[in-house]
Amino acid sequence: MIIIENTLGNLSDPKWAKLLEGAAIDWLELDQWEAQKSRLRKTTTGDVELALSLDRNSHLHDGDVLMWDEGKHAATVVRIHLREVMIIDLSDVVGEKVEKMVQTLFELGHALGNQHWPAIVKETKVYVPLTVDRKVMSSVMKTHALPGVRYEFMPGLEVIPYLAPHEARRLFGGASDTPHSHHHGDGRPAHAHGHKHEHGHEHGHGHDHGHEHDHDHDHGH
């Protein structure tokens, strides 16, 4: 087991991006909740067991370099997977008469509140991270069938550019503080230096990204 007490850098830094170009990368893959922990035991894709022992108020970011072996041109790098986000579009509702608009918005807020779903409101869109299965969230929206309310799902990393840092932290718990990096390497296991212990660290977009969108236009007539 290798104990990790701090990071060496991040692939968003041009220096590290160039240094690791063509390197063998062993990924430490974390979900958005694991990424918030300063203490964690996790195995890399190359089957190397790591134990995180970071400062209490610290956490990992996407692209963080944990280990680097210059001789072998190999590194261990963090890759964080953000969950999808449901984007509720209220632009059609805003054009309604005030009484109808208020009723729809109130009912939507009540529906989301009942599910205890966190949300960010920007202009006429509401961003809700997937805290349950996508089908469950779709079912809730279809059950309420609020007139004029449209929604779709997008990968978390594609939503980040439309959010301010504090909004991203609310949606993803801080896992998205560092922009998604363009990783290099062939994914082969890296055997890098570390501290070894024998006994034990927002929204306009095209629909040509190659991912699936669910467009549900629920109108109650």
Side-chain angles (χ1 to χ4, degrees), residues 123-164:
E123 299 179 347
T124 60
K125 291 184 172 63
V126 180
Y127 297 81
V128 185
L130 267 69
T131 55
V132 294
D133 188 85
R134 179 200 280 205
K135 292 180 180 179
V136 174
M137 296 184 79
S138 291
S139 177
V140 170
M141 296 300 292
K142 290 176 180 178
T143 296
H144 291 278
L146 298 174
V149 175
R150 295 178 285 120
Y151 65 93
E152 64 177 337
F153 295 92
M154 284 183 65
L157 286 172
E158 293 189 19
V159 175
I160 293 300
Y162 307 116
L163 304 175

Side-chain angles (χ1 to χ4, degrees), residues 158-215:
E158 293 189 19
V159 175
I160 293 300
Y162 307 116
L163 304 175
H166 71 280
E167 294 169 331
R169 283 193 291 272
R170 282 191 61 187
L171 285 188
F172 302 111
S176 57
D177 284 0
T178 300
H180 183 57
S181 308
H182 296 284
H183 305 300
H184 301 279
D186 57 8
R188 288 185 289 111
H191 302 285
H193 296 301
H195 302 287
K196 296 188 178 180
H197 295 253
E198 295 302 323
H199 53 279
H201 185 329
E202 197 184 272
H203 168 60
H205 66 89
H207 299 278
D208 56 352
H209 306 295
H211 60 268
E212 175 186 349
H213 286 271
D214 290 358
H215 295 277

Side-chain angles (χ1 to χ4, degrees), residues 72-143:
K72 297 182 179 180
H73 200 52
T76 301
V77 182
V78 175
R79 180 158 58 192
I80 297 175
H81 299 278
L82 298 181
R83 295 185 180 182
E84 285 187 305
V85 175
M86 178 172 67
I87 303 175
I88 304 173
D89 190 341
L90 303 174
S91 55
D92 290 346
V93 177
V94 174
E96 297 284 353
K97 292 182 179 180
V98 174
E99 296 83 356
K100 187 174 182 62
M101 179 179 68
V102 170
Q103 180 180 352
T104 300
L105 296 180
F106 178 83
E107 291 180 0
L108 175 63
H110 187 266
L112 298 181
N114 275 345
Q115 301 299 323
H116 301 286
W117 291 341
I120 291 293
V121 180
K122 289 182 69 72
E123 299 179 347
T124 60
K125 291 184 172 63
V126 180
Y127 297 81
V128 185
L130 267 69
T131 55
V132 294
D133 188 85
R134 179 200 280 205
K135 292 180 180 179
V136 174
M137 296 184 79
S138 291
S139 177
V140 170
M141 296 300 292
K142 290 176 180 178
T143 296

